[in-house]
Amino acid sequence: MNKMSNYFLRDWKNESKLEQKALRDGFGEMILKLGKDNKDIIVLNADLPGSLRVKKFEKELPNQFVQVGVAEQNMAGIATGLEIVGKIPFITSFAAFSPGLNFSQIRLAAICKQNIKVVGSHYGLNVGEDGASAQMNSDLGMMKSLAGITIITPADYNQAMQATKLISEMKGPAYLRVTRAKFPVFLKPDSEFEIGKAQKLIKGDDLTVIATGSMVYETIQALLPLIEDGLSIDLLNIHTVKPLDKEIILKSAKKTNKVIVVEEHNIWGGLGESVARLLGEKHPVEIKCIGIKDTFGESGSHRDLWSKYGLDRKSLRKQISSLIF
Amino acid sequence: MNKKIKELKKKSIELKIDVIKMLDKAGSGHVGGAFGMAEIFTLLYNEIANIDPKKPDWKERDYILVSNGHICPIWYAILANIGYFDRKKLDKLRKVDSLLQGHPKINIPGVENSSGMLGHGLSQAVGVALGLKMKKMKNKVFCIMSDGEQQEGQTWEAAMSASKYFLDNLVGIIDYNKIQIDGNISDIMPLGDLKNKYEDFGWMVLDVNGHNIEHLLSCFEFVNKIKKQPTLIIAHTTPGKGVDFMENKFEYHDWTDDGEEVKEALRQLRQKLSDLY
């Protein structure tokens, strides 16, 4: 038997009835609101204000906006300095460039737990036509290795808004990854959301499915027919990749003894590895990590790429079925 | 030599003696750059910057950032000397559980920025200066850099942004000692005309002998008159200054000693100190 949680919006199962919005828009909208309420919130950007959805912030709050040009390392360094005088800096660019190009500057800030926020957009194959160099599939691995950092990869637009607000309120370094592509808005804007606490979207007994970020809704669509066929599933939305909600994962794995992790990231360094390590140490079970199989992407449409690289709902369903039947 | 200059000179030699003792106990550390900058650190903390060692978080303070954090023995020595923390802590430099790490961290009283990766400090200083401007505060920001780290591209990203934002509250100081860890700068990667380069990036640039306290004092006085642009002081220094076998030798960028050199270095420095009495 499956029990659906109250995280969902009313029409969550019916994709055609849901609004489609990019996660970067959730960030852009919330950071503007936060900036208006708190003049210490500063947005830094490296020549991509349109892509990061901070054009309105730049226009309406020019004194809280720093345009550094194409200089991501300087952007992170300036943020560190702004933090020293009590500001709350958000550095914003493509994930391929930030943290891709300025990891060392972020690491230096993280060593002393400085309160800087890194917002990387355009992760995953869903970036599409711009090709491999723009599709960042290594950011979780890089950032996960920094001690004490918080990493959030929201599942939809509403959750991106919530995550933006929460990282602005917490102390210490944080990384928020958002998407260029639009995804269905399926979570309630006011649903319970706590950093480091996973959301159990569906409660069941036979299989644990863990998904994060852009893959959460696609995984739901992969699972729905299986659920209708009687499969009982625990579906966890791990929006916080670090710190990992070990408790909920262990509890679920002890119940089902079968775990699948789905993410849009290289399987090397991603969430799957974190879950596998946890379970390997505490409660070894059968586990399958679905993600990008240690390869780089290429140009193509979002959907064509997901299909080719095995991340579309049909491929997911097939891989999940092979583990359970 | 007037009394004030003499006192400052004495203090700079005392700091060098502290550094030798610290590095002797630590068993390793960077001495060349530390000695070359002894006068500048002494001046900044005793005469130039508006600071209060009893209140390291005082909001009105001037900010002194060090980008080339490996010269921290001299930084720690002056911070202890003027009372930011207990001098006994100097004995624990580079030891496990010590406040004083091999490269500076911002949790050390008086240390304003973390460093250890070259080329980051000027960006951090731009951030501090920009943040102070946003708050409409008048504090000054000093950023000490090495010449070697001018090879880092980020330094030039930062230099550009400092003039874009008219940061006349920012003073960069380059320790221009012409050596780096593996040799002479002119062999490893020549810097060209630093003065012209910074001027092209929109900075006011001053050249000064980094060991001449009178000149340094008038230089810092002049800096206060600069408006609407950041200032760079290119301090021409002698690495290892004050100990003859260390001077101008890139081999003394960092130093692990057998014990004999410590004795000789201390002897020479004590001699110089007593000459001033």
Side-chain angles (χ1 to χ4, degrees), chain A residues 38-324:
Chain A
N38 182 354
K39 65 179 181 351
D40 283 335
I41 287 183
I42 309 293
V43 169
L44 297 96
N45 185 266
D47 200 27
L48 292 167
S51 298
L52 267 292
R53 301 298 197 245
V54 290
K55 273 263 182 213
K56 260 176 114 174
F57 190 104
E58 178 180 21
K59 196 161 172 255
E60 295 185 29
L61 301 168
N63 297 327
Q64 291 166 244
F65 184 81
V66 181
Q67 179 51 263
V68 300
V70 191
E72 294 79 10
Q73 298 179 70
N74 191 36
M75 174 167 71
I78 292 178
T80 310
L82 288 166
E83 192 267 357
I84 290 169
V85 291
K87 299 290 183 187
I88 306 166
F90 280 71
I91 63 173
T92 62
S93 188
F94 290 175
F97 311 146
S98 176
L101 260 166
N102 54 15
F103 179 72
S104 162
Q105 287 73 10
I106 295 165
R107 175 174 167 266
L108 189 58
I111 286 174
C112 282
K113 300 186 171 35
Q114 286 190 259
N115 193 29
I116 74 164
K117 317 300 173 187
V118 181
V119 181
S121 179
H122 293 51
Y123 74 82
L125 298 171
N126 74 72
V127 171
E129 291 76 1
D130 277 344
S133 66
Q135 297 159 353
M136 186 51 155
N137 296 319
S138 313
D139 52 335
L140 289 181
M142 293 168 76
M143 297 301 264
K144 241 171 50 169
S145 69
L146 293 177
I149 199 164
T150 296
I151 302 173
I152 304 190
T153 157
D156 76 352
Y157 167 89
N158 283 339
Q159 194 152 71
M161 298 233 313
Q162 289 181 308
T164 304
K165 184 165 190 294
L166 282 186
I167 63 168
S168 79
E169 290 165 353
M170 60 161 274
K171 286 266 181 236
Y175 175 48
L176 173 68
R177 71 196 297 249
V178 291
T179 64
R180 170 182 183 268
K182 290 178 178 175
F183 290 95
V185 182
F186 66 99
L187 295 168
K188 288 181 190 162
D190 57 350
S191 60
E192 200 180 323
F193 184 91
E194 194 183 331
I195 292 174
K197 291 276 173 231
Q199 295 175 330
K200 184 167 284 192
L201 298 180
I202 300 174
K203 193 177 171 194
D205 301 315
D206 301 336
L207 172 71
T208 301
V209 179
I210 290 171
T212 192
S214 54
M215 295 317 298
V216 177
Y217 194 76
E218 198 66 12
T219 303
I220 288 172
Q221 285 300 330
L223 291 175
L224 282 176
L226 301 177
I227 287 171
E228 271 172 33
D229 287 348
L231 184 66
S232 178
I233 288 164
D234 246 6
L235 174 64
L236 305 180
N237 170 22
I238 304 278
H239 47 70
T240 309
V241 171
K242 195 177 178 184
L244 191 63
D245 188 346
K246 295 174 188 163
E247 206 180 318
I248 199 169
I249 294 170
L250 276 172
K251 211 172 155 193
S252 180
K254 280 176 183 168
K255 178 174 64 179
T256 65
N257 282 311
K258 270 183 188 157
V259 176
I260 291 175
V261 187
V262 191
E263 63 186 320
E264 195 173 10
H265 186 278
N266 192 349
I267 50 171
W268 287 75
L271 172 66
E273 273 190 0
S274 297
V275 173
R277 184 180 51 77
L278 170 73
L279 294 175
E281 284 175 358
K282 303 282 186 192
H283 184 75
V285 295
E286 200 174 345
I287 180 165
K288 184 169 184 61
C289 296
I290 298 174
I292 297 159
K293 297 180 187 72
D294 202 26
T295 182
F296 289 102
E298 61 184 293
S299 289
S301 74
H302 162 193
R303 291 287 159 187
D304 283 350
L305 290 172
W306 272 18
S307 161
K308 176 170 175 179
Y309 290 85
L311 295 177
D312 65 316
R313 61 196 66 178
K314 212 169 131 195
S315 315
L316 294 178
R317 197 175 301 136
K318 207 169 148 195
Q319 293 179 78
I320 294 165
S321 302
S322 73
L323 190 71
I324 47 176

Side-chain angles (χ1 to χ4, degrees), chain A residues 40 42 63 65-67 71-74 77-78 80-82 84-87 104-105 107-108 111-112 114, chain B residues 63 105-107 112-115 117 120 123-124 126-128 130-132 134-135 154 157-158 161 164-165:
Chain A
D40 283 335
I42 309 293
N63 297 327
F65 184 81
V66 181
Q67 179 51 263
E72 294 79 10
Q73 298 179 70
N74 191 36
I78 292 178
T80 310
L82 288 166
I84 290 169
V85 291
K87 299 290 183 187
S104 162
Q105 287 73 10
R107 175 174 167 266
L108 189 58
I111 286 174
C112 282
Q114 286 190 259
Chain B
Y63 288 75
K105 289 170 69 178
I106 50 168
N107 60 326
E112 301 285 12
N113 68 309
S114 297
S115 55
M117 282 164 287
H120 294 199
S123 296
Q124 296 168 335
V126 167
V128 174
L130 190 59
L132 292 168
M134 285 171 174
K135 293 177 161 194
Q154 188 186 349
E157 296 179 2
S161 57
K164 175 189 171 183
Y165 287 101

